[in-house]
Every structure is written in structure tokens, then in C-alpha cells.
Amino acid sequence: MKKVGVAILGLGVVGGGTARILIDRRQQIKEEYGVDVEITAVLDLKKERVLDLGLDLKILASSMDEIALNPNVDIVVECMGGLEPAKSFLLKALEAGKSIVTSNKEMFCKSWPELEAAAAKTGAGLYYEATTGGGMPIIRTMTQAMQANNILEIKAIINGTTNYILTRMSQEGASYQDILKDAQALGYAEANPVADVEGYDSSYKLSILSSLAFNKRLPVDLIYREGITKLTAEDIAIGKELGYVVKLLAIAKQKEGKIEARVHPVFLSKDHPLANVNDAFNAVFVVGDAVGDIMLYGRGAGALPTGSAIVSDVVFCARQEVHARYSEMNNCMTADDIIEDFESDYYLRLNARDVSGVIADIAGVFKKHNVSISQMRQDRNNEIIPIIFVTHKTREKAMKAAVEEIAALKNVVSVENLIRVEK
Ligand code: HSE
């Protein structure tokens, strides 16, 4: 039977979960997949993590060089996170001819061509199922199961932290700040939540998914990004009355040879399949021209779900005679490939003085920018009134220009929020 040695870099939550699965399922993997996968090296500063897993301290390496030189290591699994030294360690592994498996989305999406080139030189494999969607096998779906399709569209909830915060804000009518504090206390959100709540994490994952979907690398800085920090309980409640739920969506679409790619909060029609994806769950909705709509749903983080994706890569890698190459990753999209002025429906909430002509003035600005209104609501009968508009499909630039002019109108007191609507 083929014997495959695995080194795990970092035995924290994800590395520990991966090791646990590899140890517990070793016999089953042998029986079901015909490969004997053994952990032959680990790299971690904490000896007790090695001992807690029941592993022999003899396999604890003192450096990445030692692992690169170890003939009993075939696959290096990186669970360290961060850009460096993760990237240098993986390059070292690839240069030594060892295949790599990583869950590190930021490092991977920023270093993909470099890693791919290093892997191609030695014939090593490059696997990254766990970078996107945790336990959901979305990468293998995109690389191994969509050959018959042109991918037309991806809509995804790929950040569990923000989905958890938005679900609780919606259910409890609570503020972003209150739920964030709670989510941090419960360990759902990091002490520094910026990567999650400002949409960076989702945009790294969307960059990976879009590159696979559209056969050309989409650099993360070409993705429009907006986080969830400006969402209020008031908007979420009004959205609910209008038939929407709020979600942080990662959206990529192919239109007439160009790509639209964006991460931002949306009001999503409550009938959409993604609308019921709640708490820390993730889901990816893909539209292919042959298959139509498909959707994957699952846990996007955690020791065992992420470990599940990593072990799947390890076993898949162990069974390959020749590793697939993604030469298109060196073919990079530029600003010319991107539709910056995308189309959407919009929700706008503003406060205005309840005086004659205020609606006419606002409508005049909408008319000037060719924005068509589909719904309008004036909430209470006070001196200052909240007014809500929902538009028909409008170009982003026209909508933003209209909002800027509306904010400057004499009887408009404040523009409170602008949220894109997905039906
Ligand atoms: N921070 C991510 C999330 C998990 O909240 O979904 C790892 O990708």
C-alpha cells in the first residue's frame, strides 16, 4: 500500500483538528482509499500540543528546513495563518518537491502564482480546499465537477463571523456594537474583528472562487469591498417589513466577457435560497449555464469542519500520480476586465423636513440621474420624517451621484443608509 507522510505546520485549532481526524481515521482511509497516511512531522512551539494528540515527541521538528529535508514527509499541511512565515515555509516545501495543503486564504489568494510556479518546477501538488468555505467542498466542486459549464454567477455567504452577527442583529433587533461585543466574548469574533467585519476575509475567498470560475486570476484588490459596520437595527427592521433579510454577500458575475466582483451587505429577498443561511453557517450559490443553480451549505470554520477539508485534500493529493496545474493563475485580470459601474436595486433611508416639495425635490434628483423608484415609504408624521426608497435596477455611479445631490438638498436633514438589494 502507498505510504504517505504528512507534516503539519501549526497545531492550533485547525492543525489540531486535522491531526485528530488523520489519527482517528487512518485505518478507514487505508481501507477506503488505499493509502496509508501518517503524520511524520509537526512544527509547533508548544510541546504539550503534540503530547495531547498522543503523538511521539520525536516527530516535533525544530525548523522548516528540517521538514524540507525529511524524506518521510510527502505533504506539508500549513495551518499557521498569517502571510509570513507561512508563505516562505510553503515555498521551501514545494522547492523540496513536497506537495502542500493550506487553509490560509489571505496568503494563498495573494501568492497563488508564486506557489503555482514553485509547484510546477518540482511537480509537487498545491491544494487549498480549506481556504474557502471551511468544510464545504466548494473548491473541488469548482475544479472537478463543473467542466460542462460556463459559470455565470456566484453568490456566497463565506464569512461565518459576520453571518452570526447579522443573524443575531436581525433576530434581536440589537445594535452592531452590542452583538459584536457578545460575539467576541463567545469566541465567534476575533479581538481585532476588522478582517471579518470589513469584508476582507470574504474578498480573499471570492478572489479564489472567481479565479477558478472564470479561468483567470482575480486579484483581491479588484474586488469592491464594503463591511457590515454601518448597518443599523432600524434598517434591518425596515428591510424585514419590505421582505428582505440582511446578508454580507460575496458576488461575482460574468457579463459579456467582463467580470463584476463585489463584497458588501445586501438586502436579500427572503425567498432566495441564501436567505435562510443563518448563524455562523456559510453557503455558496453558483449558476452554471448547463447545470443551472447549485448550492453548498455548511460550517465555514472550526477545528473539525476545516480539518475535514484539509484531510480531503491530503487524501486526494496522496492518490494523484500527476498533480493538476492551473496555468491560468499567471493570466491575471486587470481593471479593464472588471465592471466597476455595476447594476443593482437600492434601498435608501434618509431624514427630511416634512414640508411641501421635499419629495418633488428628491424625485427631481432621481429623474436627473435616471433612477427609477419602485417603492417609497414615509414612516411617521413628525417634523423630521424618515423616508425610504427602493429603486429599480440602477447603475452604481448614478445612484451614488444621486445620493450625494439628495444629501445636499435644503430640506434633507441626513442620508442614513444606502443598501444594495438582491432579489
Ligand atoms: N474568520 C472566518 C469566518 C473563518 O468568520 O468565517 C475562517 O475563514
Side-chain angles (χ1 to χ4, degrees):
M1 183 173 295
K2 186 174 180 184
K3 277 182 94 70
V4 175
V6 173
I8 303 180
L9 313 182
L11 289 177
V13 174
V14 172
T18 302
R20 187 76 276 145
I21 299 173
L22 282 175
I23 295 163
D24 292 349
R25 288 188 59 82
R26 185 170 171 188
Q27 187 56 32
Q28 267 161 302
I29 290 170
K30 264 161 87 173
E31 287 163 16
E32 290 167 21
Y33 297 96
V35 282
D36 183 15
V37 180
E38 186 186 3
I39 302 171
T40 49
V42 290
L43 191 65
D44 200 287
L45 293 172
K46 296 183 180 154
K47 256 202 246 174
E48 54 278 19
R49 286 178 168 174
V50 185
L51 296 171
D52 287 350
L53 285 160
L55 292 167
D56 193 327
L57 272 184
K58 274 195 293 202
I59 68 165
L60 179 60
S62 57
S63 69
M64 184 58 211
D65 287 329
E66 194 183 318
I67 290 178
L69 289 170
N70 186 338
N72 296 321
V73 171
D74 303 292
I75 301 174
V76 173
V77 172
E78 183 263 317
C79 302
M80 301 161 64
L83 294 177
E84 284 293 358
K87 178 182 160 188
S88 309
F89 284 9
L90 290 182
L91 283 171
K92 214 167 250 183
L94 291 167
E95 281 154 14
K98 301 185 189 308
S99 293
I100 63 164
V101 172
T102 182
S103 59
N104 189 332
K105 60 250 151 175
E106 180 179 6
M107 181 279 300
F108 185 74
C109 96
K110 292 179 176 168
S111 318
W112 193 342
E114 218 177 321
L115 294 168
E116 186 63 54
K121 259 193 201 158
T122 57
L126 185 62
Y127 297 91
Y128 45 92
E129 182 65 70
T131 56
T132 309
M136 284 189 299
I138 183 63
I139 299 295
R140 198 97 68 237
T141 301
M142 300 299 275
T143 56
Q144 303 286 325
M146 298 296 275
Q147 294 90 335
N149 292 269
N150 274 325
I151 307 294
L152 306 175
E153 182 179 312
I154 298 169
K155 280 197 185 120
I157 295 170
I158 35 179
N159 183 268
T161 305
T162 46
N163 205 38
Y164 175 82
I165 293 172
L166 295 179
T167 302
R168 285 203 45 201
M169 282 175 74
S170 303
Q171 287 169 349
E172 298 166 33
S175 74
Y176 164 74
Q177 282 303 341
D178 284 350
I179 300 294
L180 172 66
K181 264 189 228 141
D182 220 22
Q184 285 170 320
L186 291 165
Y188 280 98
E190 309 262 350
N192 179 356
V194 171
D196 291 318
V197 301
E198 294 295 358
Y200 290 99
D201 179 77
S202 292
S203 62
Y204 302 142
K205 295 165 179 171
L206 185 65
S207 155
I208 296 169
L209 285 182
S210 306
S211 302
L212 294 175
F214 307 125
N215 300 310
K216 205 170 178 186
R217 183 167 169 261
L218 173 62
V220 69
D221 54 10
L222 292 181
I223 297 176
Y224 176 87
R225 181 190 48 75
E226 216 180 274
I228 64 163
T229 56
K230 293 195 198 98
L231 292 171
T232 66
E234 188 166 1
D235 288 305
I236 293 174
I238 297 168
K240 233 186 233 179
E241 288 168 26
L242 296 171
Y244 304 126
V245 294
V246 69
K247 294 288 171 200
L248 180 71
L249 280 197
I251 301 172
K253 295 180 187 176
Q254 180 170 200
K255 281 184 183 164
E256 291 152 17
K258 288 202 167 196
I259 304 299
E260 181 182 313
R262 45 196 169 103
V263 170
H264 53 69
V266 300
F267 273 158
L268 184 66
S269 165
K270 67 178 181 353
D271 303 324
H272 193 283
L274 289 170
N276 287 317
V277 176
N278 288 322
D279 302 314
F281 277 90
N282 282 204
V284 182
F285 180 86
V286 182
V287 185
D289 61 353
V291 70
D293 300 351
I294 59 169
M295 189 160 119
L296 276 177
Y297 168 88
R299 291 188 190 278
L304 296 182
T306 312
S308 162
I310 292 176
V311 170
S312 145
D313 270 354
V314 167
V315 175
F316 188 85
C317 173
R319 286 163 54 92
Q320 301 305 302
E321 293 302 326
V322 178
H323 300 286
R325 299 262 80 94
Y326 293 95
S327 49
E328 62 267 25
M329 291 318 136
N330 295 318
N331 181 8
C332 200
M333 291 190 211
T334 66
D336 288 342
D337 295 301
I338 302 297
I339 303 170
E340 213 186 303
D341 195 16
F342 54 83
E343 275 187 326
S344 181
D345 297 9
Y346 293 82
Y347 157 99
L348 173 69
R349 177 167 67 90
L350 52 84
N351 289 326
R353 287 186 191 85
D354 194 2
V355 294
S356 163
V358 65
I359 298 289
D361 290 346
I362 297 168
V365 176
F366 278 144
K367 183 173 177 213
K368 179 177 157 198
H369 292 278
N370 211 15
V371 174
S372 170
I373 298 161
S374 87
Q375 282 185 74
M376 194 207 108
R377 206 171 102 171
Q378 178 178 317
D379 256 9
R380 285 180 295 271
N381 206 7
N382 297 324
E383 203 178 316
I384 305 290
I385 48 164
I387 309 177
I388 287 104
F389 294 96
V390 179
T391 73
H392 288 298
K393 237 172 224 347
T394 300
R395 292 244 168 235
E396 173 86 2
K397 280 186 184 159
M399 191 63 198
K400 285 199 166 155
V403 170
E404 207 178 303
E405 265 183 58
I406 287 168
L409 290 173
K410 185 171 74 193
N411 287 314
V412 170
V413 179
S414 59
V415 167
E416 293 294 311
N417 225 333
L418 179 69
I419 301 173
R420 296 166 192 89
V421 175
E422 286 284 324
K423 296 229 171 100

